Amino acid sequence: KQEVTQIPAALSVPEGENLVLNCSFTDSAIYNLQWFRQDPGKGLTSLLLIQSSQREQTSGRLNASLDKSSGRSTLYIAASQPGDSATYLCAVRHSGGSNYKLTFGKGTLLTVNP
Amino acid sequence: EAQVTQNPRYLITVTGKKLTVTCSQNMNHEYMSWYRQDPGLGLRQIYYSMNVEVTDKGDVPEGYKVSRKEKRNFPLILESPSPNQTSLYFCASRNSTGNTIYFGEGSWLTVV
């Protein structure tokens, strides 16, 4: 059974700092991995998606990497801003016959202090 | 604008009183799913549907029903709600070949 773990559970940083969020998964047979952002009381917004054959994806100040063989992904946020404060979730989409299925981590609550 | 719309957004109900949470998407997506989000447990899949009249159980289907009579709608039915179904519920959709999944804003459900 696929398990997704996110470390740390919470992170507080001063504005302007670069930071890394971690995601690990137990089964490397994945179709893709996706990072989401969730603001309090809101739905999830997709940030970056990495296919299983890719190593990284970038969007603005965000960079996500994937090491499928070791079961790890990182989300790098450059020059953090208070508006980046949110919960960040990673989710893996299963491959093969279960590729309808997403398994989520429990998230990292990020606070960026002005 | 691409949207997944859930209703109601907030509901307090009593144990045993049947309720339906509606979900509608305007992107002609084949795949739709329901999740619940609980503190310390994260997001867990309840049911999913791969197309009209095709549904299957997720990880936590007990106490829930779904139907998919039309492509755009995927209602979540609680026949006899219990307090352990108090949660934040999300509907999501994507197309069969696409990767990006779109989420609704969530429905806060409290069962007393």
Side-chain angles (χ1 to χ4, degrees):
Chain A
K1 181 186 171 187
Q2 178 74 273
E3 292 182 3
V4 179
T5 303
Q6 291 187 244
I7 295 172
L11 181 64
S12 181
V13 300
E15 182 177 3
E17 193 160 296
N18 303 325
L19 60 100
V20 174
L21 307 181
N22 296 291
C23 172
S24 62
F25 47 95
T26 55
D27 186 349
S28 62
I30 66 169
Y31 188 82
N32 60 40
L33 183 144
Q34 201 161 355
W35 282 92
F36 294 88
R37 170 187 172 133
Q38 184 178 23
D39 293 289
K42 299 283 190 181
L44 281 68
T45 302
S46 178
L47 297 172
L48 287 166
L49 184 146
I50 313 177
Q51 300 289 1
S52 62
S53 59
Q54 296 175 323
R55 298 285 290 187
E56 66 178 330
Q57 283 287 333
T58 298
S59 175
R61 295 183 292 109
L62 305 180
N63 176 279
S65 70
L66 174 65
D67 184 341
K68 200 173 76 159
S69 60
S70 68
R72 295 183 182 183
S73 176
T74 61
L75 179 66
Y76 174 82
I77 302 177
S80 58
Q81 303 169 357
D84 294 330
S85 298
T87 297
Y88 290 81
L89 295 153
C90 74
V92 298
R93 182 173 161 191
H94 298 214
S95 62
S98 300
N99 70 359
Y100 50 81
K101 194 171 170 56
L102 277 181
T103 299
F104 284 84
K106 294 177 183 176
T108 294
L109 175 61
L110 173 65
T111 303
V112 181
N113 301 300
Chain B
E1 181 191 351
Q3 271 190 325
V4 178
T5 304
Q6 299 178 220
N7 280 296
R9 293 288 318 282
Y10 305 92
L11 179 65
I12 300 175
T13 190
V14 296
T15 298
K17 184 177 181 182
K18 179 179 178 179
L19 70 94
T20 299
V21 187
T22 64
C23 174
S24 180
Q25 49 94 2
N26 63 359
M27 297 165 278
N28 202 37
H29 284 170
E30 290 84 7
Y31 176 80
M32 298 184 74
S33 57
W34 277 102
Y35 296 84
R36 60 179 288 174
Q37 186 175 34
D38 301 288
L41 296 175
L43 273 149
R44 294 177 293 168
Q45 191 180 53
I46 304 171
Y47 268 95
Y48 65 93
S49 168
M50 290 177 284
N51 215 322
V52 175
E53 302 290 4
V54 182
T55 64
D56 207 348
K57 297 175 181 178
D59 295 319
V60 287
E62 296 79 18
Y64 305 94
K65 284 175 57 177
V66 292
S67 69
R68 188 91 182 273
K69 295 186 171 60
E70 307 163 281
K71 201 169 187 180
R72 63 183 293 124
N73 296 322
F74 189 43
L76 179 70
I77 303 156
L78 285 73
E79 293 271 3
S80 182
S82 62
N84 65 10
Q85 292 179 296
T86 292
S87 188
L88 174 58
Y89 291 87
F90 288 103
C91 179
S93 77
R94 65 168 171 82
N95 64 31
S96 58
T97 55
N99 292 300
T100 301
I101 185 166
Y102 296 84
F103 281 82
E105 293 273 283
S107 295
W108 288 92
L109 173 64
T110 300
V111 184
V112 297

